[in-house]
Amino acid sequence: MSDLYAVFGNPIAHSKSPAIHAAFAVSTGQDMIYEARLAPLDGFAAAVSGFVAAGGKGANVTVPFKEDAFRLANRLSERAARAGAVNTLVFSDGEIFGDNTDGAGLVRDITHNLGYSLAGKRILLLGAGGASRGVIAPLLAELPTVLAIANRTAAKAEVLAAAFADMAPLEGGDFSRYAGCSFDVVINATSASLSGESLPLPSDLFVAGSLAYDMMYGKGETPFLHLARQQGAGRCADGLGMLVEQAAEAFLVWRGIRPDTGPVLAALRAGLTG
Ligand code: NDP
């Protein structure tokens, strides 16, 4: 019988994860099934336990359950413990192991797919929610010279900066705090693009060589990337590569094989632009 995996979320019908993992399974010759499962907003733990009882070997977790998954796991990877959120679960012998592959996915997309080294760079991270928290430690591991966090609610950025102060001196504040500063990389980890909203960014954040990266993806240019291009960012990228790379990292955790992401990313990109 094929090994069973799933992604849990609410909503979940839009998820690209089943297609991504099906392609990975074919390209690596793994005998597995990967489904999308809608969990009730107040029923994540019960949904997971039913899945485990049915033989589920592992799962991905997406909005809004990453913190529920963090609490459900009885063993955590270091990166999940740091992130305070779990997007990958492994079930074996009664144990629920929780991992977080979002940060690794972001870093691999930037450094490998986009060929942009983060070492020695000045990075500004926009947003102080779960996605932002999950990528801070992996970004710091790339040894940037500066990692600053800007958020609509300044206090949340300050709390986040303090939470990682043992790793590196971080700055946190509202968007206006960074007026007059420019960065090599500006990463949008807010959910503003989801609702089509622009961020009130200072006008001089970007220089010609800057990379603007939006974790959001979809048909057409996001409001953040539109603004970044208008303000002179040299390079713009959306979060589709991050999505594929975090999936590949989860696949590696489950199956011990890192799939080739290039063809899957190209096929998804063609679907979005076609
Ligand atoms: P959260 O709800 O945890 O955090 C949302 C953040 O966005 C907060 O910092 C919030 O600020 C800010 N925000 C929301 N609306 C606005 C607005 N109109 N103007 C300014 N700031 C705003 O979300 P997540 O951290 O989980 O996700 C953030 C984004 O990252 C989503 O778009 C998600 O789709 C994307 N993502 C993409 C992944 C990928 O693989 N490509 C993986 C994970 C996430 P405040 O604190 O002031 O409320």
Side-chain angles (χ1 to χ4, degrees):
M1 220 171 70
S2 305
D3 290 342
L4 182 60
Y5 295 84
V7 57
F8 287 88
N10 187 331
I12 199 63
H14 66 287
S15 175
K16 298 185 188 305
S17 293
I20 293 171
H21 283 282
F24 288 167
V26 170
S27 69
T28 58
Q30 298 290 296
D31 184 8
M32 57 190 279
I33 293 172
Y34 186 108
E35 300 171 346
R37 298 235 173 166
L38 180 73
L41 290 176
D42 59 352
F44 174 72
V48 169
S49 105
F51 181 68
V52 175
K57 295 256 189 272
N60 283 136
V61 182
T62 187
V63 178
F65 297 124
K66 291 184 186 179
E67 287 174 16
D68 298 73
F70 175 79
R71 287 188 288 272
L72 190 66
N74 43 36
R75 190 165 67 86
L76 291 169
S77 67
E78 198 183 326
R79 58 192 179 180
R82 267 282 174 190
V86 158
N87 77 336
T88 302
L89 293 167
V90 185
F91 312 117
S92 63
D93 303 325
E95 181 187 82
I96 301 179
F97 172 67
D99 200 352
N100 189 315
T101 65
D102 280 337
L106 171 71
V107 166
R108 192 167 166 91
D109 189 37
I110 292 176
T111 59
H112 186 78
N113 298 339
L114 302 176
Y116 197 99
S117 169
L118 295 170
K121 299 285 167 49
R122 293 170 52 79
I123 303 177
L124 178 64
L125 187 58
L126 307 173
S132 186
R133 186 178 190 104
V135 301
I136 291 174
L139 285 173
L140 287 174
E142 296 299 302
L143 305 178
T145 47
V146 172
L147 179 57
I149 306 166
N151 193 46
R152 177 174 61 182
T153 312
K156 282 207 223 165
E158 288 158 12
V159 166
L160 208 48
F164 289 85
D166 61 314
M167 294 186 72
L170 300 185
E171 296 171 24
D174 64 10
F175 299 123
S176 66
R177 171 170 177 168
Y178 299 100
C181 305
S182 64
F183 292 87
D184 302 304
V185 184
V186 182
I187 300 169
N188 181 21
T190 75
S191 48
S193 290
L194 276 177
S195 49
E197 287 176 69
S198 283
L199 296 169
L201 299 180
S203 57
D204 32 20
L205 286 184
F206 302 95
V207 290
S210 298
L211 168 67
Y213 192 102
D214 199 338
M215 287 193 191
M216 171 80 188
Y217 53 84
K219 274 201 176 195
E221 193 173 54
T222 68
F224 167 72
L225 293 180
H226 182 73
L227 187 71
R229 201 164 43 78
Q230 282 186 329
Q231 294 190 2
R235 192 138 186 219
C236 294
D238 69 13
L240 194 64
M242 175 180 177
L243 176 77
V244 175
E245 293 299 340
Q246 64 75 28
E249 188 79 10
F251 196 93
L252 175 66
V253 170
W254 293 326
R255 311 299 294 187
I257 300 174
R258 178 182 286 284
D260 184 7
T261 52
V264 179
L265 184 51
L268 285 177
R269 187 73 71 200
L272 282 183
T273 52

